[in-house]
Amino acid sequence: MNVAEQTRTQAQAAKEAAEVLATASLEQRNAALQEMSAELIAHEDAILAANAVDIESARADGTGEALLDRLMLNSERLAGCRQALAELCAIPDVLGEVICGRTITQGIHMKEVRVPLGVVGMIYEARPNVTIDAASIAVKTGNAILLRGGKIAQRSNEAITVALQAALRTVGLPVDSVQNLDATDRASGNELMKLHGLVDVLIPRGGTGLIKTVVENSKVPVIETGSGNCHIYLHAAADPTMAHNIVMNAKCQRPSVCNAAESLLVDYSVAEELLAQIAPELVAAGVTLICDQDTLRIARAAGVTDDMLREATDEDWGTEYLDMQISIKLIDGVDEAVAHINKYGSMHSDAIVTSDFETAQKFTSGVDSAAVYVNASTRFSDGGVFGLGAEIGISTQKLHARGPMGLTALTSTKFILEGNGQIR
């Protein structure tokens, strides 16, 4: 059996598993999540050993440090995944939730309730923790899931799937509810995109190229997650200390993730003051500054050497670096900031730092992104932080789900109508 045939066979098994999951009780689904946490502990040595091989192989192939950071698992990160599982268990069930209800013609009682989507496909890149997050959300919402991670994480994902399937087996749910696809051959991803009728929705999570490929080629409906070209805008009324702290956190705390800041916009009127402090500190943290002409002048005057500076091109304003680089542009007011972000941003997460309420309101109304911040770091764009439990991705589209996607993002609805013999 070739890879494409194997993928189709796995999808058929997932569809059968989804029919069982759709009627599983909340107690059984929560028990599966609790058992997943236990199995992650039991299989931790095997998972970390597989991950170490993936890391070694990726490094030998010349993979950059930022991507290696996304690939890397350790005990602390696995503990974070288990904590997310515990939080997910504590969240009330969304299945069966009544969205609306009323009595319609001839006394028929109608209600709209939440139901699972069915079979979810995930195509993602180098983050094996996504395997845990996605699988746990799928099981909590009664969905089966097909996981097609990146080639460089294949061993890690296989080891994690073994643990998750052991948990399903223990609580009596179909092991095919969570399956790992062969990522060593592109045929698995290509076939997954063709499986309309077996797969109900496809979620790509990764870089711009991956998402573009899936959106343009999939016959399966797609929930589009976006890259994170996130902006921090320092308005003329920004508090200097707050501006400094937010920029440093948003760029440096974990630069390889999608909610890290990639671009800094600064009003001309305060650029000399703010950048004289912020630019050298970014550089001291190891960040290369990619600047317009005015920013280059200010950075050099503040003591930044040319080896940590680069002149920006128009392409830079739309680039997600996922690394210790940031583009910096001086602008003239909130209108220009909004226009720049809407032109070059990825509709993910963008922030303004200001003490002026009217300007903040203008920014939040004008910026067309899934999450818009006032006086806070973009690093908070996260399903767990938003109280959604684990997340399956951050949607930058406008249909069905937007922003961090928790439980309700993996549900649809159906209408249930109850009568006593009415006919039309």
Side-chain angles (χ1 to χ4, degrees), residues 251 262 279 283 287-300 304-329:
K251 178 68 261 182
E262 303 288 19
V283 167
V287 180
T288 298
L289 311 183
I290 301 168
C291 312
D292 64 5
Q293 286 290 336
D294 291 314
T295 305
L296 284 173
R297 173 182 55 77
I298 294 171
R300 285 168 177 149
V304 178
T305 55
D306 281 351
D307 61 311
M308 296 300 288
L309 294 171
R310 179 166 70 78
E311 185 173 352
T313 66
D314 193 62
E315 183 180 353
D316 283 305
W317 307 131
T319 297
E320 181 188 30
Y321 298 107
L322 298 173
D323 204 350
M324 295 294 271
Q325 302 177 72
I326 190 168
S327 62
I328 308 177
K329 182 177 177 61

Side-chain angles (χ1 to χ4, degrees), residues 88-164:
L88 202 55
C89 272
I91 295 176
D93 197 8
V94 297
L95 297 185
E97 176 188 353
V98 178
I99 307 300
C100 67
R102 61 181 180 271
T103 300
I104 60 169
T105 181
Q106 297 187 50
I108 296 174
H109 297 288
M110 181 195 77
K111 58 183 178 181
E112 183 183 8
V113 300
R114 288 198 185 279
V115 296
L117 288 172
V119 177
V120 177
M122 279 281 293
I123 299 180
Y124 53 109
E125 293 179 322
R127 294 181 65 180
N129 63 293
V130 171
T131 303
I132 302 168
D133 291 346
S136 62
I137 293 178
V139 170
K140 176 80 175 190
T141 51
N143 294 286
I145 191 161
L146 297 167
L147 297 156
R148 203 279 186 187
K151 179 179 178 180
I152 65 173
Q154 178 73 16
R155 300 174 188 85
S156 303
N157 290 333
E158 286 175 350
I160 290 169
T161 303
V162 167
L164 301 182

Side-chain angles (χ1 to χ4, degrees), residues 2 9 91 118 176 185 226 285 318 328 390:
N2 62 35
T9 298
I91 295 176
D176 289 329
D185 192 318
I328 308 177

